[in-house]
Amino acid sequence: MVPPASNIATDHGGGMYDFASISVTLTNCTFSGNNASSGGGMYNYHYGNPTVTGCTFENNTGTQWGGGIRCSSSNPTLTDTVVCGNDPDQIVGGWTDGGNNTIEETCIGACCFGFADCDENVLVSDCTGDWLGGGSTCAECQYGACCYTDGSCMVGALEECDAGGGTYSGNGIDCAAVNCPQPGACCLETDCSIISEPGCLQLGGVFFGEDTACDQISCEDDIVIVAQDGSGDFDSIQEAIDAADDGDAVLVMPGHYFENITFLGKAIVVQSAAPTSPELTIIDGGGTSNNTVVFAANEDEYSILNGFVITGGNSPLDGGGIYCISSPTIRNCIISGNHADENGGGLYITGNPTFDTCIIHGNDADGLGNGMYISSSTANIIDCMFGASSSGIGEAVYAYGSGAHFSGTTLDVGFGTESGATLNLCSTTWTNSNIENCNSGLIITNSIADQFLGCTFSDNAANYGGGIYCEGGVTGVPVLDECIFDNNTASQDGGGIYCTAGSSPAITGCTITSNSAAWGGGISCDTNSSPTITDCTISDNTATYGGGIYCYNNCNPTIS
């Protein structure tokens, strides 16, 4: 139907007048810019009860009332219809809501086309995607990857993901960037089901690991209970581990367990009874000269620690909280209150473990890496958070010679009082992570291709490189792709990014805004550094010299 637009009626029904017509059907029509004394878009009178589906009534005017629709002695049915921006009102009179209608004062809002594609300030009739309502913004365009309990991934709306019992990974995130938990054997009392770990834990079950099968275990025989009150099979976690065979599960009742544990190379699950509330079940090394948890006997991904607070480690060497030189899986744990005389106050890693949904904070080391020391490792760090050390000094993460991958990880260590890098990295990959509220920023030294993909650096402060500090280069260059640098501060150079001593990062598609420094509010580069800056937005940064970019001392950036 040709849309009724800019029509005028001196009395009723600028776009359409429906008088006593009981079976009018309007489908996918647009009424725009029409004018009348009453019912600028449409006037329904005396049993004029049209069925209106998928139509839009926008920017119509009724000089008396009913700018959009006026109903008098009538009752139209509206379904999937938008009525917006009409003057002086949208609908006057009775009508039946058939569902999914949008009644708004303005017709300007965000138009969402699904995954990672949205336009703002779009007229509803011009939106060829999903119009989000008058005054809406693209922040409300919530499409992204959803992981379902069968291990599959689909891109869809947040509401669809929640309705299907899935786990939403965030707006604009594609399935290719998400490692959905895969299904495995889940014991629900004496019954076994094949579902993913989040689904298993939500039902209160014990998960035996991805790709495990129900015919490999017995839910009646392969689970041993640890309880301090003597009601279980054991009252010590280590005693239960000692007695367990590969494929068994150790289910630990809530309590404060003063002991140091080692997995002894066994492919077993050690899980608290409340894994999503780890604060209820504590493994406390008691401050003795030892690691609280040890993985040092070729453990693999089927050696699983799930749902504990790990504290009280006090190692004379490395890894106060967890010492790991193998490849286990650690989930839903809080690693806090640990110390190492050498490296890795919270975690010491030279194996290839997976840490998923863990919190690491309040640890310290006399050497490197208060929170984590990682070397010669391809560890996966997923959806974890690193907080401040107990002293507020030194690195939250020290990674060297590592192919570790950090995804969905947040660093929020607060503003310390003394120097020390929040991150000191070499050859790591970070995706969709946040680095915020950090003192002395993020330091990349002699990078072997560190990569930051879709990360946010915000509200950090340092003398040099408020957001990130890049120094030197060996066989590769740091990659900063589709990252955001916002509201970072440097007292000297590089509020957002500082490049020096031959460092030449590839900075592509980044937004660098509202940062400040004495030299180079957005970016400062010096001493033979030659960054490549492509398709970036550098705006609203401030400095004494070079508000956006400051270059000196044989610095040769390429900007396009």
Side-chain angles (χ1 to χ4, degrees), residues 111-477:
C111 183
C112 186
F113 303 99
F115 175 66
D117 193 3
C118 179
D119 292 330
E120 292 186 347
N121 300 317
V122 176
L123 189 67
V124 59
S125 57
D126 294 334
C127 177
T128 57
D130 184 11
W131 193 64
L132 301 183
S136 59
T137 67
C138 283
E140 301 169 53
C141 184
Q142 297 183 324
Y143 280 78
C146 178
C147 292
Y148 291 96
T149 57
D150 63 356
S152 65
C153 180
M154 293 183 63
V155 171
L158 172 61
E159 295 81 6
E160 295 172 346
C161 183
D162 289 341
T167 301
Y168 190 66
S169 298
N171 298 342
I173 297 178
D174 197 356
C175 283
V178 176
N179 294 316
C180 288
Q182 294 303 298
C186 172
C187 280
L188 302 170
E189 295 183 351
T190 59
D191 295 325
C192 183
S193 299
I194 301 296
I195 56 177
S196 68
E197 184 186 26
C200 179
L201 299 185
Q202 187 176 11
L203 295 172
V206 176
F207 188 69
F208 280 79
E210 296 179 355
D211 300 323
T212 54
C214 285
D215 60 8
Q216 298 173 320
I217 64 171
S218 167
C219 292
E220 293 185 6
D221 301 329
D222 293 343
I223 298 178
V224 296
I225 306 297
V226 178
Q228 290 179 316
D229 62 4
S231 61
D233 302 298
F234 299 92
D235 58 13
S236 160
I237 300 172
Q238 187 61 54
E239 288 178 358
I241 293 173
D242 293 343
D245 297 318
D246 286 349
D248 287 351
V250 176
L251 185 63
V252 183
M253 296 297 106
H256 197 135
Y257 296 81
F258 286 94
E259 56 182 302
N260 309 89
I261 68 169
T262 178
F263 263 60
L264 303 173
K266 296 184 178 183
I268 59 175
V269 178
V270 178
Q271 177 180 306
S272 73
T276 57
S277 299
E279 67 280 0
L280 299 179
T281 314
I282 301 167
I283 305 175
D284 190 335
T288 59
S289 295
N290 211 335
N291 321 95
T292 299
V293 179
V294 173
F295 295 97
N298 297 313
E299 291 87 0
D300 62 15
E301 69 269 26
Y302 299 114
S303 302
I304 300 171
L305 182 68
N306 192 353
F308 296 90
V309 172
I310 309 299
T311 191
N314 186 22
S315 173
L317 297 173
D318 302 307
I322 298 178
Y323 178 85
C324 178
I325 58 173
S326 54
S327 304
T329 301
I330 296 94
R331 294 192 176 104
N332 300 309
C333 286
I334 299 171
I335 298 96
S336 180
N338 302 286
H339 171 80
D341 287 352
E342 294 191 7
N343 302 320
L347 310 170
Y348 178 89
I349 299 170
T350 59
N352 303 308
T354 295
F355 282 82
D356 190 348
T357 319
C358 292
I359 298 173
I360 301 97
H361 74 99
N363 306 284
D364 70 272
D366 294 341
L368 301 171
N370 284 320
M372 171 188 288
Y373 177 95
I374 183 168
S375 178
S376 303
S377 168
T378 57
N380 279 307
I381 315 298
I382 304 166
D383 294 335
C384 292
M385 189 188 83
F386 289 84
S389 69
S390 58
S391 64
I393 305 171
E395 305 100 345
V397 176
Y398 183 95
Y400 188 79
S402 169
H405 185 193
F406 295 75
S407 61
T409 292
T410 296
L411 286 101
D412 186 350
V413 304
F415 285 92
T417 56
E418 300 189 35
S419 63
T422 300
L423 293 172
N424 199 324
L425 306 176
C426 183
S427 192
T428 59
T429 299
W430 295 69
T431 57
N432 302 313
S433 296
N434 298 311
I435 294 89
E436 58 194 30
N437 295 320
C438 295
N439 182 56
S440 296
L442 184 156
I443 295 180
I444 299 177
T445 305
N446 295 324
S447 174
I448 307 175
D450 286 281
Q451 298 184 68
F452 294 85
L453 313 175
C455 295
T456 298
F457 300 76
S458 63
D459 301 306
N460 303 295
N463 292 330
Y464 294 88
I468 190 168
Y469 176 108
C470 302
E471 177 182 320
V474 182
T475 61
V477 298

Side-chain angles (χ1 to χ4, degrees), residues 505-508 512 523 525 531-536 538 549 557-560:
I507 306 169
T508 304
I512 303 164
I523 301 174
C525 49
T532 301
I533 304 168
T534 307
D535 294 331
C536 291
I538 304 172
I549 302 175
T558 299
I559 305 172
S560 60

Side-chain angles (χ1 to χ4, degrees), residues 9 11-17 34-44 60-71 89 92:
D11 198 344
H12 302 314
M16 175 179 174
Y17 188 121
N34 303 288
N35 183 281
S37 64
S38 180
M42 179 171 67
Y43 186 90
N44 305 292
N60 302 285
T61 302
T63 56
Q64 293 183 8
W65 51 62
I69 301 173
R70 171 74 167 103
C71 307
D89 34 42
V92 173

